Amino acid sequence: MNVDCKLKLLEFLPDGEFQHVRILDAELCRKCDAVLCLTLCPSAVFRWNYQHETEPPVLVYYRQCIECGACRLICPKNNIEFCYPNGGFGVTFKDGISVYLRPYTPPEMP
Amino acid sequence: MLKDWFAGVKKGTSQEIIAEKYYTTAVKKYDAIIAGAGPAGATAAYFMAREGMDVLLLERGPYPGAKTCGGSSIIAEHVHKLFPNFWEELEYERLISHQAYWIMTEDDAIQIAYRSTRLSDAPYNRFSVRRVKLYEWLVKKATAAGATVRFNHHVSEILYEGNQAVGVRISKPQDCIYVANIIILADGANSLLAEKAGLSRRVSAHDLSLYAKETIALPAEVIEERFSLPAGHGAIIGLIGYPTAGFNGTASIHTFRTSININVGLAVADIAQAGITPHDLIDRLKAHQYIKPLIKDGITTEYGANVIPEGGYFSIPELVHPGSMIIGDAASLVNGVHGFSLAMWSGFFAAQAASKAKKHRDFSVKFLRLYQQLLDESFVMQDLRANAPQAKWLRDVPYFFDLYSRVANEAAYHITKVYTIPKKAKRHYIFKKITSMQPIGKMLKDAWSFLKVIR
């Protein structure tokens, strides 16, 4: 199961007016040879932009952030600004309650 | 006249605005505001409200536990002392009667397990609980005792008058301020509030662990059969070695009524260095030959990640400030054995200090200092102090978990395998095999440092 499928299990209420994770200076990312954010993020918020010649090299998919806040600690250039989203927005964990209540049917054997 | 002009120019700093708003309009002043309705915050709210204080509990999520994932285990001894006979009210999942450690490599695993039905007699030892249920219960307790709870309220800033904390600012959409005599910060690991206000240092990437977690749904009977548990009993399995891909860290399996949690956690700095994503680490563990049969046919119902402070004693910031206290994960008051019970205790102690400060109508450090004193005298700090070098040791011996789980499994393999050589020669052979992995001197040195740290 890839991470995009896993994130489908969660509920998000993205804030269209406020981006809570952002990259301060795109030029610094261009020079960065570590790009630790790409592998660290558990919900793949940071993605490499293949059109990085003309556009910012790291894309921030802040709408799928699960708000752990680890990214701000590892950026070698301190270039990631993270704060929690405004009240009521962002991810909500339901502990799979909606899925759980479904009766279990074991898959049929071939 | 010049004075008035100066005052007009100076206006606009946040302190001025709050002072004006607070003195001119009839803003309600609470006895205490708690930022964050987690185990620490809700416990503090409950005990303060019980002391007759006017408490406002602010939570940024739409319901308790909205921002935390999966489940956890709750330790009966601690929680029973704070909330007597809590198991009659709290909807728990399973009684833990099986605790195990698996020291794993790719091919093999040494499984050390202890199981006892004595653990399931009252007073119990551990329960597994879903965090959503636990937080909801705690917040309900707090509101029943008289605390006010507001959800969807994100505290973005602490407001000061001089160096005395006097209120909090709520970010949009409310965009308002609340004022109180005491501000309690319970906003979790990675406390941005305390950092912004300059109450604590920026947490280091070595002192914070990132845990990725997956919830896998399975019917209750299947869980009991696979872990060979009596009905209603649960298991906690700590996994060492293989799951953390060569770094120091832990993984675990927790059982719930109709689901299993699998989580893997490493220090943030390590996970960045490893170049493997947290979700891939989970998938890698799930594909291991001894884990796969446990979760066969299960449906993944949730995925999440969280950070947990693991810096130990040395990463605890100054806890008491004029008009404010830091509790729970925000103050790095967690450890591996007691889990969030320490956070609940810190909430309880903070409540004691707050009620004393209220009685004396003095909200400076003088009476709030009681919180620090109670914490220092309790077992909480004693344990944390005893394990203080642990975080540093984990950095100094970065290969410990990986190498020694390999060494142990290699030894176990050769001991188990029957050779057609004399016993004495076999012993010599095993010794040679192991010391070829790590020289005996270094091994003894590491063992000694390990013993010194865990004492």
Side-chain angles (χ1 to χ4, degrees):
Chain A
M1 201 191 238
N2 82 21
V3 65
D4 290 322
C5 299
K6 285 181 186 175
L7 292 171
K8 288 266 167 23
L9 300 166
L10 303 175
E11 274 180 36
F12 293 95
L13 181 64
D15 189 346
E17 288 170 6
F18 174 61
Q19 184 174 344
H20 69 281
V21 195
R22 58 196 188 96
I23 285 177
L24 296 173
D25 182 4
E27 287 309 305
L28 283 178
C29 298
R30 220 178 285 280
K31 288 177 212 138
C32 181
D33 45 10
V35 275
L36 298 174
C37 49
L38 300 184
T39 51
L40 174 95
C41 180
S43 62
V45 167
F46 300 95
R47 307 214 175 182
W48 186 249
N49 186 355
Y50 288 98
Q51 298 170 328
H52 56 87
E53 271 88 23
T54 51
E55 288 172 20
V58 177
L59 301 173
V60 183
Y61 286 32
Y62 79 98
R63 284 157 186 260
Q64 64 187 47
C65 174
I66 52 176
E67 297 163 31
C68 69
C71 50
R72 79 184 182 110
L73 301 173
I74 48 94
C75 182
K77 309 223 188 280
N78 237 334
N79 196 21
I80 297 171
E81 190 189 71
F82 173 88
C83 66
Y84 293 110
N86 287 335
F89 289 107
V91 67
T92 47
F93 292 100
K94 292 207 158 47
D95 203 1
I97 283 172
S98 51
V99 194
Y100 242 65
L101 299 173
R102 221 162 42 193
Y104 174 82
T105 44
E108 279 176 31
M109 300 302 276
Chain B
M1 215 170 85
L2 207 60
K3 215 166 139 191
D4 290 348
W5 170 80
F6 182 62
V9 170
K10 218 180 130 198
K11 214 173 266 176
T13 64
S14 68
Q15 282 171 21
E16 291 284 326
I17 291 170
I18 168 142
E20 189 179 80
K21 211 163 182 171
Y22 164 47
Y23 290 118
T24 54
T25 61
V27 176
K28 187 182 174 190
K29 190 171 189 181
Y30 290 92
D31 285 329
I33 289 177
I34 302 164
T43 308
Y46 169 73
F47 283 102
M48 274 190 239
R50 229 179 48 161
E51 295 286 325
M53 294 176 75
D54 197 358
V55 183
L56 178 64
L57 182 59
L58 297 169
E59 163 63 39
R60 69 189 176 92
Y63 50 88
K67 301 290 181 183
T68 181
C69 58
S72 184
S73 79
I74 186 169
I75 296 154
E77 176 101 6
H78 291 301
V79 186
H80 181 49
K81 279 182 178 160
L82 295 170
F83 302 95
N85 291 349
F86 70 94
W87 48 80
E88 289 163 8
E89 303 165 25
L90 172 67
E91 193 186 318
Y92 63 86
E93 297 279 309
R94 282 173 186 279
L95 258 169
I96 304 300
S97 68
H98 176 174
Q99 272 183 263
Y101 281 99
W102 291 12
I103 302 165
M104 299 166 79
T105 70
E106 284 82 353
D107 313 310
D108 29 22
I110 299 175
Q111 304 182 342
I112 307 159
Y114 173 70
R115 48 176 73 209
S116 165
T117 44
R118 280 197 294 166
L119 292 172
S120 60
D121 299 335
Y124 310 97
N125 185 41
R126 277 169 189 266
F127 296 95
S128 58
V129 281
R130 294 218 306 263
R131 280 183 185 259
V132 176
K133 293 280 174 204
L134 172 73
Y135 291 21
E136 189 188 349
W137 172 72
L138 280 171
V139 169
K140 271 190 184 152
K141 288 286 272 187
T143 42
T148 315
V149 183
R150 298 262 158 84
F151 294 111
N152 296 328
H153 278 56
H154 169 225
V155 178
S156 63
E157 198 185 343
I158 309 169
L159 302 169
Y160 284 94
E161 252 177 25
N163 64 352
Q164 180 81 17
V166 291
V168 292
R169 185 185 297 283
I170 310 295
S171 71
K172 280 177 183 173
Q174 292 86 8
D175 203 11
C176 61
I177 54 175
Y178 287 105
V179 289
N181 290 323
I182 303 169
I183 313 294
I184 293 178
L185 305 180
D187 56 334
N190 217 346
S191 174
L192 294 171
L193 268 180
E195 197 183 305
K196 211 167 163 186
L199 305 182
S200 68
R201 276 174 298 135
R202 180 194 168 91
V203 56
S204 137
H206 292 282
D207 290 344
L208 213 58
S209 284
L210 179 62
Y211 280 82
K213 194 180 256 181
E214 222 170 89
T215 307
I216 296 160
L218 281 168
E221 312 81 65
V222 173
I223 292 175
E224 279 150 17
E225 192 189 306
R226 286 185 190 173
F227 290 85
S228 60
L229 298 162
H233 288 215
I236 295 180
I237 303 174
L239 310 171
I240 298 165
Y242 173 82
T244 48
F247 288 87
N248 284 343
T250 51
S252 64
I253 297 177
H254 287 236
T255 54
F256 301 93
R257 200 175 300 150
T258 52
S259 64
I260 297 175
N261 262 173
I262 292 192
N263 64 347
V264 186
L266 317 183
V268 171
D270 285 345
I271 214 163
Q273 196 190 344
I276 179 166
T277 58
H279 38 91
D280 284 344
L281 273 177
I282 290 254
D283 285 344
R284 179 173 171 273
L285 176 60
K286 275 167 70 184
H288 190 276
Q289 54 182 335
Y290 297 135
I291 305 294
K292 217 173 175 178
L294 293 178
I295 55 170
K296 192 170 157 271
D297 299 340
I299 310 164
T300 301
T301 56
E302 196 180 67
Y303 165 74
N306 236 331
V307 284
I308 297 175
E310 286 189 348
Y313 184 70
F314 294 127
S315 65
I316 297 174
E318 186 66 44
L319 298 174
V320 181
H321 303 272
S324 63
M325 290 184 274
I326 309 178
I327 61 173
D329 271 15
S332 185
L333 294 171
V334 216
N335 90 2
V337 181
H338 301 290
F340 57 70
S341 305
L342 298 190
M344 292 173 83
W345 278 113
S346 74
F348 172 71
F349 293 143
Q352 305 297 310
S355 77
K356 192 175 178 197
K358 195 200 168 189
K359 271 176 204 141
H360 292 268
R361 302 214 173 99
D362 180 351
F363 303 102
S364 65
V365 185
K366 195 177 161 198
F367 290 105
L368 295 183
R369 185 71 74 195
L370 178 65
Y371 163 49
Q372 177 92 56
Q373 282 165 5
L374 286 171
L375 210 55
D376 281 342
E377 284 163 17
S378 72
F379 78 98
V380 176
M381 278 298 190
Q382 283 175 26
D383 262 23
L384 283 171
R385 216 175 288 135
N387 289 337
Q390 195 174 321
K392 186 179 173 292
W393 173 77
L394 283 173
R395 282 202 291 280
D396 290 348
V397 198
Y399 52 82
F400 191 88
F401 282 45
D402 183 57
L403 178 72
Y404 291 109
S405 61
R406 280 173 201 286
V407 168
N409 277 297
E410 186 69 18
Y413 168 74
H414 289 296
I415 290 164
T416 316
K417 194 162 161 56
V418 183
Y419 292 101
T420 50
I421 50 174
K423 222 174 180 178
K424 202 179 162 198
K426 184 181 171 182
R427 246 177 265 153
H428 186 71
Y429 173 68
I430 293 170
F431 182 77
K432 281 273 172 225
K433 270 276 176 197
I434 290 169
T435 46
S436 72
M437 296 173 85
Q438 173 86 324
I440 186 77
K442 267 201 119 174
M443 224 183 307
L444 289 172
K445 194 178 149 227
D446 288 344
W448 176 242
S449 74
F450 173 66
L451 288 174
K452 245 171 48 183
V453 150
I454 62 155
R455 79 195 149 90

